[in-house]
Amino acid sequence: MSHTKELFRRHPNNPIITVDHLPYPANSVFNAGVTEFEGETLLLMRVEDRRGFSHLTVARSPDGVNNWRIDPEPTLMPDPVEHPEEIWGIEDPRITYIEERQEWYILYTAYSEAGPLVSMASTRDFKHFQRHGAVMPPEDKDAALFPVRFGGRWAMIHRPVSTFPSVAAHIWISFSPDLKHWGDHRVLIPARKGGWWDANKVGLAAPPALTDEGWLILYHGVRTTASGSIYRLGLALLDRDDPCRVIYRSDEWVFGPREEYELFGDVDKVVFPCGWVIRGDEVRIYYGAADTSLALATASLSELLDWLKHHSRHWSSES
Ligand code: BMA
């Protein structure tokens, strides 16, 4: 049964940031990492230039809705000299604040000649960035770190793609003693099959968020149709102490393209968040709309968790 009430409410100012807001010419601004920095909402936005290559630019706002101040120049450019894997740009950052290190860690897609891969950078001020290089070989993307360790090990969610065409693209989890060497890889959230909205291809959207019930996961599912792909969002919940255990996974999508700015753009029918801000009961997702602009939608955390519990009938933690 479908829910009658929409759980996410779109902001009336949507799209909140478009290419016209940028202080320099570009093609599009979309898929942004999100964090809170010095009391403001900070977006690390993917900007695609007019060659087709992406870089990252910071936007800050006191209330997360209005008065965005955008860096006058690109904040983080690809560095193909030191990092040849960034030759065709850097995309889709996900930001995790790691309290233990007092630093923000950013996992992003580096577009290499061998395909997209996962790269890592860290920063304390969103002005200076330390690059840690490629952490997963191609093809792999849609990655984020957990902010804490599990049994002494760091954990990362990511989405490798098999070279076997018949194998679906699943969400995986991997562990590391030092944020450099990764192993103990396993499938976390498999793409479903057949007619499901999230059949064949899924990927993490925002970084995992700790709630009283466990780690809340927002992920995208891709439906392939005769007129192209549809990118929609679903929810899952992971055990607080053992993030390999998926407690719930929504049967239905929770948010999908509906408004004109989501339906039509460089890539039609895409909603693509790379981050969220959860403060008290309010959840704000900042999402790329149709690979063209940035939009905002809000929800209630307790309503999302409640909905997830009641819409996970086809999922059991034993499966
Ligand atoms: C995915 C990523 C995203 C993009 C989406 C829709 O594979 O490349 O950056 O928003 O496709 O085009």
Side-chain angles (χ1 to χ4, degrees):
M1 281 288 282
S2 232
H3 52 285
T4 45
K5 186 174 156 241
E6 288 290 336
L7 287 167
F8 280 97
R9 290 167 291 281
R10 290 169 172 83
H11 198 278
N13 293 4
N14 275 354
I16 56 163
I17 300 181
T18 71
V19 78
D20 296 332
H21 296 103
L22 291 179
Y24 54 89
N27 173 60
S28 48
V29 52
F30 52 120
N31 308 355
V34 187
T35 191
E36 291 180 285
F37 180 72
E38 294 180 340
E40 298 190 297
T41 301
L42 183 147
L43 303 180
L44 188 59
M45 310 182 295
R46 171 177 173 190
V47 176
E48 190 183 290
D49 67 24
R50 295 189 185 189
R51 296 172 303 168
F53 303 168
S54 293
H55 60 265
L56 308 179
T57 289
V58 166
R60 299 156 213 258
S61 157
D63 64 2
V65 179
N66 300 298
N67 301 314
W68 292 98
R69 304 187 317 281
I70 301 177
D71 282 0
E73 305 278 341
T75 312
L76 188 64
M77 282 292 279
D79 180 8
V81 174
E82 293 296 322
H83 292 278
E85 70 277 7
E86 299 186 358
I87 185 158
W88 290 324
I90 55 177
E91 309 177 350
D92 302 358
R94 275 108 176 159
I95 307 172
T96 301
Y97 180 65
I98 299 198
E99 179 113 42
E100 188 187 315
R101 299 195 170 202
Q102 305 265 303
E103 265 187 299
W104 284 263
Y105 274 76
I106 303 154
L107 294 186
Y108 57 94
T109 304
Y111 195 170
S112 84
E113 283 186 336
L117 54 80
V118 178
S119 279
M120 185 160 78
S122 59
T123 185
R124 287 175 195 272
D125 57 9
F126 287 92
K127 290 192 175 102
H128 309 94
F129 296 83
Q130 191 189 344
R131 276 181 161 85
H132 304 276
V135 290
M136 289 288 168
E139 180 179 337
D140 202 334
K141 50 164 78 168
D142 302 326
L145 294 175
F146 285 81
V148 294
R149 302 179 195 227
F150 300 91
R153 296 188 305 169
W154 300 103
M156 177 203 297
I157 292 180
H158 57 118
R159 205 282 312 280
V161 175
S162 169
T163 47
F164 277 27
S166 56
V167 175
H170 306 307
I171 295 173
W172 288 62
I173 187 167
S174 302
F175 294 89
S176 170
D178 55 6
L179 288 175
K180 190 166 176 62
H181 304 92
W182 292 91
D184 207 358
H185 313 288
R186 58 184 96 171
V187 172
L188 181 68
I189 300 174
R192 283 183 269 218
K193 295 183 178 148
W196 283 96
W197 67 274
D198 55 356
N200 304 321
K201 197 175 179 186
V202 289
L204 185 72
L210 189 58
T211 72
D212 290 344
E213 319 254 347
W215 295 97
L216 186 61
I217 299 294
L218 182 69
Y219 73 95
H220 61 257
V222 186
R223 172 78 182 246
T224 314
T225 77
S227 68
S229 300
I230 309 176
Y231 279 72
R232 301 188 181 104
L233 305 174
L235 295 172
L237 192 76
L238 312 180
D239 185 89
R240 187 193 178 102
D241 302 316
D242 175 8
C244 295
R245 214 182 124 236
V246 182
I247 304 169
Y248 297 115
R249 176 185 184 174
S250 60
D251 302 330
E252 300 175 10
W253 69 83
V254 71
F255 190 72
R258 202 188 63 193
E259 299 296 323
E260 201 166 309
Y261 54 88
E262 300 159 351
L263 294 172
F264 306 108
D266 273 7
V267 184
D268 294 350
K269 301 191 192 115
V270 178
V271 292
F272 202 93
C274 293
W276 49 10
V277 173
I278 304 181
R279 222 184 281 136
D281 191 53
E282 192 196 44
V283 179
R284 292 178 168 192
I285 57 166
Y286 293 86
Y287 60 99
D291 283 12
T292 298
S293 60
L294 264 165
L296 167 63
T298 56
S300 144
L301 180 59
S302 48
E303 279 180 23
L304 290 184
L305 289 168
D306 189 57
W307 178 84
L308 177 55
K309 270 181 220 166
H310 294 101
H311 290 78
S312 289
R313 279 190 296 276
H314 293 270
W315 183 261
S316 97
S317 51
E318 314 317 323
S319 57

